[in-house]
Amino acid sequence: MTQQKLLDAAIQAFSENGFKGTSTRGIAERAGVHHPLITYHFKNKDLLWRAAADRIFKEFNSSLIKAMSEVPEVDPKARAEVFIRTYVRCAHSQPAMHKIILRESSYPSDRLDWLVATHLKPLFELVVDQLKVLQELGIAPAGSPALLYNMIRVSAGGLLALGLEIKGTSGIDLEDQRELDELADMIIRVFLPGDSAPS
Amino acid sequence: MTQQKLLDAAIQAFSENGFKGTSTRGIAERAGVHHPLITYHFKNKDLLWRAAADRIFKEFNSSLIKAMSEVPEVDPKARAEVFIRTYVRCAHSQPAMHKIILRESSYPSDRLDWLVATHLKPLFELVVDQLKVLQELGIAPAGSPALLYNMIRVSAGGLLALGLEIKGTSGIDLEDQRELDELADMIIRVFLPGDSAPS
DNA sequence: GTCTATAATTAGATAGAC
DNA sequence: GTCTATCTAATTATAGAC
């Protein structure tokens, strides 16, 4: 239980202030436990970060994959639409994941290399293959599928990670389910403009 | 000169590790000056951050506005295309600006409130008004112009701030001018799909 | 597995000479 | 405007009792 409380607190803290900006004492305080327990359960700050990142990425990826596996057989465009709506929902319920990506990508580090190899690249390759099919069917716009993937990803996860700023500049509250649906609609309208091949 | 060296170092450091994750001693070291000079020139860490943010935002916004003011009279779609290419170019040459936005938006703070009120909201309002016109002309996709603005902004600036991660997952090097042009082309293709009204 | 106490380092900020 | 020296607080990590 202490481990879980520490991980929850660590995910929250690291997503807000990044690795260097977060103190392990602050994490222990958030979790309501004494700070030497971090050493006992996770050895040091670096391994605590890895355990926290592992947890949030596995949670995100598995809820994404689980939701997609439950989608009945439908045409490619409908399936892509469901994927985008699911991705937006997952990104909203676990905002820490994209925040951690954004925080760790600003300068080279072993943590970033590990993140890319362990969690980012597998999902990237999975989705890019699907995107290529959508492009061939004329559903997704032409051009580099890798760039397209990243544009979709930041339009969903990146935008949600910027929630506070967007609330401030535009008044739009992305915590509101209606705004969230509108975002997903917009992403679909923009990135999947083509009709499903009527064959 | 010391002030400028400190500001340059501060912009770099704060964009990489955020406010809490950056030490003023580290900034002084990067700038090659002794750390008490920060107190002398900027009073404290918070005011140094504000001065650094001010400088990077003013540089970005003024180079954007300057470039746009030099565009000859053209139709709305061509003008929007130039704007996007210019924005991508500015975001690439000053990656610190979007990194600072991303770093400060992850939790509420006085710094974020100040950033929104001072630098983010003015540009937002300027561009959203233009976007509405483009939507009425059928050039930009329908839907909330505020969401559309943010999707374009993160697809340009956000993606460039994620350069290291994208290099790692996909091999695409956004430092390469050709890739940068491809990104701008893609943003135009996706977000400005309509034809210019032939009148 | 959890506690108290503490070592070693680094942080932001200041004092006062030059 | 810049330097050396220093204060105070916070940080990561460990030692050892319970």
Side-chain angles (χ1 to χ4, degrees), chain A residues 169-170, chain B residues 121-135 144-150:
Chain A
T169 50
S170 69
Chain B
K121 206 161 181 175
L123 183 60
F124 167 81
E125 285 169 352
L126 201 73
V127 178
V128 163
D129 282 346
Q130 301 297 314
L131 256 182
K132 284 180 190 165
V133 174
L134 292 169
Q135 288 182 308
S144 158
L147 283 182
L148 201 55
Y149 166 74
N150 281 297

Side-chain angles (χ1 to χ4, degrees), chain B residues 95-187:
Chain B
M97 196 198 71
H98 286 93
K99 288 186 182 179
I100 285 176
I101 298 174
L102 295 173
R103 238 115 251 116
E104 288 302 323
S105 300
S106 51
Y107 63 98
S109 74
D110 288 347
R111 290 185 303 282
L112 177 57
D113 294 341
W114 174 85
L115 218 52
V116 166
T118 313
H119 295 294
L120 264 15
K121 206 161 181 175
L123 183 60
F124 167 81
E125 285 169 352
L126 201 73
V127 178
V128 163
D129 282 346
Q130 301 297 314
L131 256 182
K132 284 180 190 165
V133 174
L134 292 169
Q135 288 182 308
E136 283 160 14
L137 293 169
I139 294 166
S144 158
L147 283 182
L148 201 55
Y149 166 74
N150 281 297
M151 284 169 64
I152 296 173
R153 192 174 56 123
V154 297
S155 291
L159 220 102
L160 288 168
L162 284 175
L164 284 173
E165 191 240 284
I166 290 171
K167 182 88 199 309
T169 51
S170 70
I172 292 177
D173 182 3
L174 289 167
E175 296 303 306
D176 182 334
Q177 185 61 45
R178 272 180 300 267
E179 300 288 4
L180 217 56
D181 289 341
E182 163 76 4
L183 174 62
D185 288 344
M186 196 85 131
I187 292 173

Side-chain angles (χ1 to χ4, degrees), chain B residues 7 10-11 14 19 42 44-58 109-115 118-119:
Chain B
L7 278 182
I11 288 169
F14 284 130
F19 183 78
F42 298 97
N44 59 34
K45 187 182 181 181
D46 196 75
L47 290 174
L48 171 60
W49 183 88
R50 262 162 233 257
D54 241 337
R55 202 168 96 99
I56 190 70
F57 274 83
K58 277 182 180 151
S109 74
D110 288 347
R111 290 185 303 282
L112 177 57
D113 294 341
W114 174 85
L115 218 52
T118 313
H119 295 294

Side-chain angles (χ1 to χ4, degrees), chain A residues 12-199:
Chain A
Q12 190 67 21
F14 284 131
S15 74
E16 288 177 359
N17 287 307
F19 183 78
K20 290 190 189 169
T22 299
S23 85
T24 54
R25 290 176 106 103
I27 291 172
E29 213 166 314
R30 277 200 211 220
V33 306
H34 291 151
H35 69 267
L37 289 175
I38 288 179
T39 312
Y40 178 76
H41 287 287
F42 298 96
K43 181 97 176 153
N44 59 33
K45 187 182 180 180
D46 196 75
L47 290 174
L48 172 59
W49 183 89
R50 264 160 231 258
D54 241 337
R55 203 168 95 98
I56 191 69
F57 273 84
K58 277 181 179 150
E59 259 180 46
F60 184 92
N61 285 347
S62 73
S63 56
L64 195 61
I65 288 166
K66 185 171 175 294
M68 290 312 292
S69 71
E70 288 167 358
V71 177
E73 293 281 328
V74 284
D75 66 288
K77 171 151 180 173
R79 189 172 177 81
E81 286 191 17
V82 173
F83 181 80
I84 284 172
R85 288 186 202 287
T86 306
Y87 194 96
V88 168
R89 202 175 54 249
C90 289
H92 172 253
S93 64
Q94 280 133 323
M97 198 200 68
H98 286 91
K99 287 185 183 180
I100 284 175
I101 299 175
L102 295 173
R103 236 118 252 110
E104 288 302 323
S105 299
S106 50
Y107 63 99
S109 74
D110 289 347
R111 292 185 302 282
L112 177 57
D113 294 340
W114 174 86
L115 218 53
V116 165
T118 315
H119 296 293
L120 265 14
K121 206 162 180 174
L123 183 60
F124 167 81
E125 284 166 355
L126 201 73
V127 178
V128 162
D129 283 345
Q130 301 297 315
L131 256 183
K132 284 179 190 165
V133 175
L134 292 169
Q135 288 183 308
E136 282 160 15
L137 291 170
I139 294 167
S144 159
L147 283 181
L148 201 56
Y149 167 73
N150 280 298
M151 283 169 65
I152 297 172
R153 191 175 56 122
V154 297
S155 292
L159 221 101
L160 289 167
L162 284 175
L164 284 173
E165 192 240 283
I166 290 171
K167 183 88 198 310
T169 50
S170 69
I172 291 177
D173 182 3
L174 289 166
E175 295 304 305
D176 182 335
Q177 185 60 46
R178 273 182 299 268
E179 299 287 5
L180 217 55
D181 290 340
E182 164 75 5
L183 174 62
D185 289 343
M186 196 85 133
I187 292 173
I188 289 166
R189 201 177 307 139
V190 165
F191 290 103
L192 303 173
D195 288 327
S196 228
S199 84

Side-chain angles (χ1 to χ4, degrees), chain B residues 27-39:
Chain B
I27 291 172
E29 211 166 317
R30 277 201 210 221
V33 305
H34 291 149
H35 69 268
L37 288 175
I38 289 179
T39 313

Side-chain angles (χ1 to χ4, degrees), chain B residues 4 17 37-38 43 63 68 86-88 93 116 137 144 181:
Chain B
Q4 288 308 313
N17 287 307
L37 288 175
I38 289 179
K43 179 96 177 156
S63 56
M68 289 312 292
T86 306
Y87 195 96
V88 168
S93 63
V116 166
L137 293 169
S144 158
D181 289 341

